[in-house]
Structure formats: structure tokens, C-alpha cells
Amino acid sequence: EIIGDVDNLVELAQQPDVIKIVNLVFLEAVQKRASDIHFEPYEKKYRVRLRIDGVLREVSKPPTAMGLKMAARLKVMSKMDTAERRVPQDGRIKTDKQGMEVEVRISTVPVAFGEKVVM
């Protein structure tokens, strides 16, 4: 799915299913005390991995079509430029999960099949 204009991308990032998946990944990461969250697009799959005790473990395989939407959601949350997908970007997200304030550094990197997001 090719998404042309920025307004459409921001709109897709606000879809309830996208918000739900991103929130569930955040919640799981906090519960498992993960140090990193990796959102990784591949040619025929998309995967989400958490670094727990120094080991990256796959926790989810959302549909490949969700990858661009989830990257856009994370960019919106961290106030990054959603239109820019050709250069790396860095940002921060502050959120409250399970009564704890969590501050997360986020980086996006363009890769062959989309954008890899590491938090």
C-alpha cells in the first residue's frame, strides 16, 4: 500500500486498530521490563521484538500492511516529521503506563521495505 500525502498518513496513524497494537506493544514492554522495542519491516512479513535481559525476542507479527501505519503512529507520538521517510530521525515519547511515567527515545531508519523503528 503506497501512501502519498502526509494528511492521509496521519489519518491512518489515528485508526483504532493501529493505536491498539502500538499500545499493547508498549504495555507488554513495560510489563516485561524490556530495554528496547524493535518494529521491523521485511519483504513478506513484519515483526515486533523486545530486548529482555539482553536478548531480542519476537513478541508479535502484525500484518505487513500495518508496518507503515505503526511507524506513522510512533512518529506522530514523538512529534517527528511523518512525511520524511528517506532519512533517519530521532525523537522522544513520554507516556504513562501502569501508573509509571515512561520516557522513551525513538529512532527511525529507512530500510529496504519501509522504516525500522527502534525504541
Side-chain angles (χ1 to χ4, degrees):
E1 174 178 8
I2 303 288
I3 298 175
D5 64 74
V6 177
D7 294 334
N8 190 28
L9 191 57
V10 171
E11 187 177 304
L12 290 172
Q14 304 297 339
Q15 291 178 344
D17 57 336
V18 176
I19 293 170
K20 182 178 179 180
I21 290 173
V22 170
N23 286 346
L24 287 173
V25 170
F26 262 117
L27 185 61
E28 185 172 359
V30 170
Q31 288 174 338
K32 293 185 175 181
R33 304 186 59 80
S35 62
D36 297 7
I37 307 170
H38 293 248
F39 294 85
E40 304 170 322
Y42 295 92
E43 184 177 14
K44 297 185 190 288
K45 66 179 181 175
Y46 193 88
R47 71 180 180 179
V48 178
R49 299 191 295 168
L50 302 179
R51 185 178 308 278
I52 303 167
D53 295 328
V55 178
L56 275 173
R57 299 181 177 155
E58 190 171 295
V59 293
S60 177
K61 286 185 181 178
T64 307
M66 293 293 289
L68 184 61
K69 296 174 188 178
M70 287 191 296
R73 174 70 187 156
L74 293 165
K75 284 177 155 184
V76 167
M77 291 173 69
S78 61
K79 298 174 180 55
M80 286 186 205
D81 182 0
T82 54
E84 186 57 72
R85 289 181 267 173
R86 296 168 293 148
V87 296
Q89 294 186 65
D90 290 307
R92 290 196 165 309
I93 298 173
K94 261 190 179 177
T95 185
D96 189 10
K97 292 291 178 201
Q98 294 189 321
M100 294 183 350
E101 188 175 289
V102 179
E103 186 172 335
V104 180
R105 188 177 69 86
I106 179 170
S107 300
T108 64
V109 180
V111 293
F113 301 104
E115 277 184 292
K116 180 177 180 173
V117 181
V118 178
M119 306 168 61

